[in-house]
Amino acid sequence: MYRIGQEEIDAVAGVINERSLFKINKKRQETMHAEEEMKALFETKHALLMTSGHAALISALVAMGIGPGDQVILPAYTYIATAMAVVSAGAIPVIAEVDDTLTLCPADVEKKITPHTKAIIPVHIQGFPSNMDALCDIAKRHGIKILEDACQSDGGCYHGKRLGTIGTAGALSFNYFKVITAGEGGALLTDDRTVFERALIYHDSSAVAFFGDQLQNVDSHLFCGNEYRTNEVSSAILRVQMRRMDGILEDLRRNKKAIMEQLADTCSFIPSNDIEGDCGTTLALRFDSESAARAFAERCPLKCTLPIDTGKHVYTNWTPVMQKVGALHPLMDPFKMEANRHIIPDYTMDMCPRTLDLLARTVYISIDPDWTAEQLADTVSAIRAAL
C-alpha cells in the first residue's frame, strides 16, 4: 500500500452511514460506479470487480471454456495462485521458463505448445511488462487464448496499452501489497462479451440471477459457479484508489528512473520489455553469480530481496502442484481425471534451470513514490557503496 487517507475514510463512512454495504443497492452503487470508472481508466469494454485477483483468474479461465483435457502455459516465476487457478478450472498447468526480463519466455512457450494447449498466462511480475508482441503472435499462430496476470502491475502499460487489456482477458489484484488497494479485491478485464457474461455468472452464481438486474442483456445460459462477489465498502475504497493510481505510478517511475540514471555506470539492471510502461515498483539488479548477489544484499543497508528466496513465487515451492494434489476429493482432482491422464507434465525441481539461475542472481530493491530528494540521494549512495 502506497497512499491512503481521509478520502478513503470518507468514502467508507458514506457507505456505512447510508447502510448500503451490499453490492446491489439503490443508493450509492459504489461497485457499479467503480466498474464504469475502471472501464474508462483501463480503456476496456468490460470490467468485473470481485474478491481477489485469484478469483479473477479462475473466472476468466472458466469463461474461456478451459477445463479438463486442456493445458495452460504459465511462467515458473509467479505466485502459486496463477498455477492454482488453472487447476481450479480443471486444467493442467504447463510451467515454462522466464527470460532475462523475469517474465514468460516466448521461445520456451513455443517449445511447450501441444495440441492440448488452450491458453497462455503471461505474468507481469513486480510490474515488469511481459513481451506481449511475441506472446500474442504465438497465440494467434496457434489459435490459443491469452489471459494476462496483471495482479502485480495495476495500471502498468505495454507500448501504451494498459497491462491486462491486451489479451483475451486480464486479471488485476487490489490486496494490501499492490499498487492500489482495497485491502482485498480483484477485477477481470476483457473486450470479449461472451467471456464477460460467463465470468459474471461464474463469479457469483448464487446471487447474480436473484439480486438486481445483473442478467439484463446477458445471453449466456446460467450454470453453477462460485461466490466471489465484492462489497460496497471495498468498492468505495477502490474508487478513491483508482484516482490516485496514475499519480502513484508517475512518482514510482520517476524515482526508479532517477536511480537507474545515476547508477548506470556502476551496475547492471535486468532488461525491460517496456521500461516506460514498467510500474516502477521494483529496481532489479543483475549480478554475475548468486554469491555476488548475496554479498551485495548483505552489505546494502536498504531492504534487499533475492527473488529466488520469495517462497511461493518460485515453482519449486508450489508444493500441491509439484506433488500433483489438485483437490481434496480425488474425483475432483484434475491430476487424477481421465481427461487429463495423458497431458500431465513430469514436474521436477530442476525443470526450469534458467529461471532458477536468473532469480538467484537478481536483487530487488523496492521503490517508494514518496521519497524526498534527500532520501533518493541517500538510496543511490547506499547502493553505490554496497556495490
Side-chain angles (χ1 to χ4, degrees):
M1 181 178 68
Y2 290 110
R3 293 170 181 165
I4 197 165
Q6 190 61 47
E7 290 180 64
E8 285 86 353
I9 294 171
D10 292 342
V12 171
V15 170
I16 295 173
N17 288 333
E18 292 193 21
R19 304 174 69 85
S20 58
L21 281 69
F22 188 63
K23 172 184 172 182
I24 306 301
N25 64 83
K26 298 294 185 181
K27 296 179 180 179
R28 299 177 69 91
Q29 298 182 306
E30 297 284 353
T31 301
M32 182 194 74
H33 290 306
E35 289 174 344
E36 290 299 318
E37 291 160 5
M38 184 171 291
K39 287 190 289 184
L41 184 60
F42 284 81
E43 298 182 326
T44 188
K45 291 181 180 178
H46 307 288
L48 185 61
L49 294 183
M50 52 187 79
T51 53
S52 67
H54 181 58
L57 288 169
I58 298 171
S59 299
L61 289 166
V62 170
M64 290 176 180
I66 292 168
D70 298 333
Q71 293 177 325
V72 178
I73 300 175
L74 55 114
Y77 175 46
T78 179
Y79 192 57
I80 188 175
T82 313
M84 292 178 74
V86 175
V87 176
S88 294
I92 298 299
V94 174
I95 303 170
E97 296 267 27
V98 299
D99 60 21
D100 285 344
T101 68
L102 299 186
T103 64
L104 189 59
C105 176
D108 201 42
V109 167
E110 191 92 60
K111 293 176 184 177
K112 289 180 174 165
I113 290 176
T114 75
H116 301 280
T117 306
K118 292 299 190 296
I120 301 168
I121 305 182
V123 180
H124 309 299
I125 195 86
Q126 297 292 138
F128 308 148
S130 301
N131 187 345
M132 295 304 297
D133 283 345
L135 293 170
C136 286
D137 177 67
I138 292 169
K140 183 177 181 180
R141 285 191 283 106
H142 292 275
I144 56 184
K145 298 182 183 299
I146 284 188
L147 168 58
E148 293 176 77
D149 183 338
C151 292
Q152 292 191 13
S153 56
D154 301 331
C157 294
Y158 178 79
H159 297 174
K161 193 168 177 61
R162 298 279 193 185
L163 300 177
T165 69
I166 303 166
T168 305
L172 305 176
S173 175
F174 311 120
N175 75 24
Y176 181 82
F177 301 99
K178 300 306 192 293
V179 174
I180 57 175
T181 184
E184 284 287 1
L188 183 153
L189 305 176
T190 186
D191 286 336
D192 188 309
R193 179 69 189 182
T194 300
V195 169
F196 167 72
E197 290 184 4
R198 291 174 176 175
L200 173 68
I201 293 167
Y202 180 79
H203 99 287
D204 193 14
S205 64
S206 64
V208 74
F210 303 101
F211 292 98
D213 58 356
Q214 298 182 82
L215 293 180
Q216 186 177 19
N217 301 320
V218 170
D219 296 324
S220 299
H221 296 297
L222 292 178
F223 57 92
C224 296
N226 267 296
E227 186 174 296
Y228 300 137
R229 182 178 61 249
T230 191
N231 63 82
E232 291 289 88
V233 172
S234 293
S235 296
I237 296 171
L238 185 61
R239 291 183 69 192
V240 180
Q241 286 281 296
M242 282 194 290
R243 294 196 291 270
R244 297 185 188 274
M245 185 181 76
D246 282 335
I248 292 171
L249 290 171
E250 181 181 357
D251 292 339
L252 284 167
R253 288 165 175 159
R254 183 190 64 246
N255 287 345
K256 179 174 179 176
K257 182 179 181 180
I259 293 174
M260 292 180 70
E261 287 177 346
Q262 294 179 62
L263 294 175
D265 62 336
T266 308
C267 61
S268 297
F269 309 105
I270 69 166
S272 174
N273 291 306
D274 183 355
I275 193 61
E276 299 299 324
D278 181 298
C279 290
T281 61
T282 308
L283 182 72
L285 309 181
R286 178 66 46 78
F287 293 84
D288 292 334
S289 66
E290 180 176 358
S291 59
R294 292 196 180 281
F296 167 82
E298 290 176 5
R299 289 193 301 268
C300 187
L302 306 172
K303 183 179 180 181
C304 297
T305 304
L306 273 66
I308 193 69
D309 296 333
T310 53
K312 298 298 182 183
H313 288 88
V314 185
Y315 78 92
T316 52
N317 297 308
W318 300 348
T319 305
V321 174
M322 297 294 285
Q323 295 181 355
K324 301 177 183 177
V325 182
L328 179 62
H329 196 294
L331 295 180
M332 298 294 287
D333 187 345
F335 292 111
K336 296 179 178 64
M337 291 178 179
E338 180 64 25
N340 293 332
R341 176 186 291 188
H342 302 296
I343 66 170
I344 301 172
D346 182 19
Y347 301 136
T348 63
M349 298 296 277
D350 60 353
M351 65 184 174
C352 293
R354 186 183 184 192
T355 297
L356 298 178
D357 174 61
L358 290 170
L359 297 180
R361 294 192 292 112
T362 303
V363 175
Y364 286 162
I365 297 173
S366 295
I367 304 297
D368 189 327
D370 297 321
W371 275 333
T372 64
E374 182 180 1
Q375 289 172 319
L376 189 62
D378 289 344
T379 299
V380 171
S381 296
I383 295 172
R384 190 180 292 277
L387 288 167

